[in-house]
Amino acid sequence: RAESQLYRSWGVSVIGMTNLAEARLAREAGMCYATIALVTDYDCWHSGQGMETVSVEMVMENVAKNIETAEKIIKNTITNLPPAAPCGCHEALKGAIMTPREAIPRETIAKLGPIIEGILE
């Protein structure tokens, strides 16, 4: 709650707890990425208004409901998704590897193959 109150004092109205790491990893992997943000609790935003205190049980109940909602959103999106528009996600790492190819150990190239494929050429 203290963390949420700090964010609230900064004027923040939504706290997303998991997007940075996933977005950065997707970018490094050259993958397109989108977020589905679903609420698990209102924490300090409704205190004093008859809202019960946030508990692990409340959050987990909402997570279970959110899983169902996310599945519906994904199924609907995939079913109705138009053909992909060109984007630069798959080229995000071009220019990021400065080391000459011959100086990169073969094991490293093999290990990172799916991510760096096409970048070292």
Side-chain angles (χ1 to χ4, degrees):
R1 179 172 273 203
E3 180 183 24
S4 294
Q5 289 172 337
L6 175 64
Y7 286 130
R8 189 176 187 189
S9 74
W10 292 345
V12 174
S13 57
V14 176
I15 301 172
M17 297 298 200
T18 64
N19 290 336
L20 179 61
E22 290 86 347
R24 288 182 69 189
L25 291 171
R27 188 68 164 168
E28 284 183 19
M31 297 170 56
C32 296
Y33 181 83
T35 297
I36 298 174
L38 302 168
V39 175
T40 57
D41 63 84
Y42 291 98
D43 205 9
C44 68
W45 273 260
H46 290 291
S47 60
Q49 297 179 16
M51 295 293 290
E52 60 184 294
T53 301
V54 174
S55 66
V56 172
E57 294 79 18
M58 174 196 292
V59 170
M60 294 312 296
E61 183 179 319
N62 288 330
V63 166
K65 291 176 187 174
N66 287 343
I67 289 170
E68 291 178 27
T69 302
E71 287 173 350
K72 289 176 186 174
I73 291 169
I74 292 168
K75 286 176 186 175
N76 185 51
T77 301
I78 290 171
T79 303
N80 297 299
L81 196 64
C87 70
C89 294
H90 67 285
E91 297 179 348
L93 287 181
K94 283 204 173 180
I97 299 175
M98 308 296 269
T99 306
R101 183 183 176 104
E102 59 274 2
I104 303 172
R106 288 184 193 178
E107 302 81 36
T108 302
I109 292 173
K111 181 179 175 182
L112 299 176
I115 296 174
I116 63 173
E117 186 176 350
I119 293 173
L120 294 177
E121 299 174 22

